[in-house]
Amino acid sequence: MPLPEAIDQAPRLHVVTCSTRAGRAGDTVAQWFAREASRFSRLAVERVDLKTFNLPVFDEPRHPRLGEYAHAHTRAWAAKVQEADAFVFVIPEYNHFPPSSFVNALTYLSREWQYKPAGFVSYGGISGGIRAVQAAKPMLCALRMVSVVESIAIADIASRLDPNRSFVATDAINAAVEPFLREIDRVARSLRPLRVEHPSAL
């Protein structure tokens, strides 16, 4: 059976700001990454901020795999996630773990995540947030997402913010963006047939 015309369209990449706390650095890091990603013409890039969805601690009465959502905030979040073909999560490390806002947002949904690639732009102290990334990956696997190997880890985030709190990337960080995006694009295009074959994932 021929695949739909959408198979050949540019994958839709959502750059997701995962921290929702006041004073977060994630918003400025996401702005930088989305700006750089928009120069990569093979992807259609959109910024998504978890804070704007104001998700309470998971409160749906039925299992997410059923897709029978009782609350407007869940339906809005599900619609936004379903739009995407791929994700880059801009994520900090709290206590060697991802922020609870990220864990909660993943928990709300099931089929909307399936057969889509995900990468991480992490930030933190000396570790650059990599422990949070490693803790997050089993959750993505359980949701039938595919974590790409490539990533960007920003160590000592406080030193990378200018007086206006804008993120200033090093040459090495900037150089990592295109290989990262190429892998996201490659995997997103490769997984599209799986989402066609499994309509419950659409």
Side-chain angles (χ1 to χ4, degrees):
M1 181 178 70
L3 297 177
E5 184 179 346
I7 292 295
D8 296 324
Q9 294 176 357
R12 295 160 296 183
L13 172 66
H14 284 183
V15 177
V16 184
T17 305
C18 295
S19 174
T20 59
R21 74 175 184 86
R24 60 190 176 161
D27 195 42
T28 187
V29 174
Q31 289 177 29
W32 160 78
F33 184 80
R35 184 172 61 248
E36 294 299 310
S38 295
R39 300 175 184 173
F40 186 75
S41 61
R42 288 179 61 83
L43 292 165
V45 179
E46 179 182 349
R47 285 187 58 213
V48 174
D49 188 345
L50 282 185
K51 191 171 185 177
T52 65
F53 290 88
N54 197 29
L55 295 172
V57 174
F58 180 62
D59 63 350
E60 284 291 328
R62 307 201 71 182
H63 196 288
R65 71 175 182 275
L66 300 173
E68 298 173 0
Y69 304 127
H71 302 301
H73 55 256
T74 311
R75 292 191 291 272
W77 177 232
K80 179 53 64 178
V81 170
Q82 186 165 311
E83 289 174 3
D85 297 302
F87 302 90
V88 167
F89 296 113
V90 179
I91 191 169
E93 179 179 310
Y94 298 160
N95 302 318
H96 296 195
F97 205 72
S100 56
S101 50
F102 168 79
V103 174
N104 190 51
L106 288 185
T107 302
Y108 261 92
L109 308 177
S110 178
R111 59 187 180 180
E112 292 85 356
W113 298 115
Q114 291 176 15
Y115 307 114
K116 297 177 181 181
F120 291 91
V121 175
S122 64
Y123 60 94
I126 192 170
S127 75
I130 59 175
R131 292 171 296 204
V133 171
Q134 292 306 309
K137 286 183 176 181
M139 295 184 64
L140 301 190
C141 181
L143 292 166
R144 292 189 173 89
M145 300 180 77
V146 176
S147 297
V148 301
V149 173
E150 286 75 8
S151 64
I152 296 174
I154 302 166
D156 193 13
I157 182 65
S159 72
R160 304 305 325 154
L161 302 178
D162 70 13
N164 296 319
R165 288 191 59 80
S166 295
F167 175 67
V168 181
T170 64
D171 289 344
I173 291 172
N174 281 325
V177 172
E178 185 169 340
F180 181 32
L181 292 171
R182 287 191 180 281
E183 185 66 6
I184 291 280
D185 175 64
R186 183 181 298 115
V187 178
R189 292 174 189 271
S190 298
L191 290 176
R192 270 177 168 169
L194 281 179
R195 298 202 299 280
V196 172
E197 292 171 13
H198 297 270
S200 65
L202 297 178

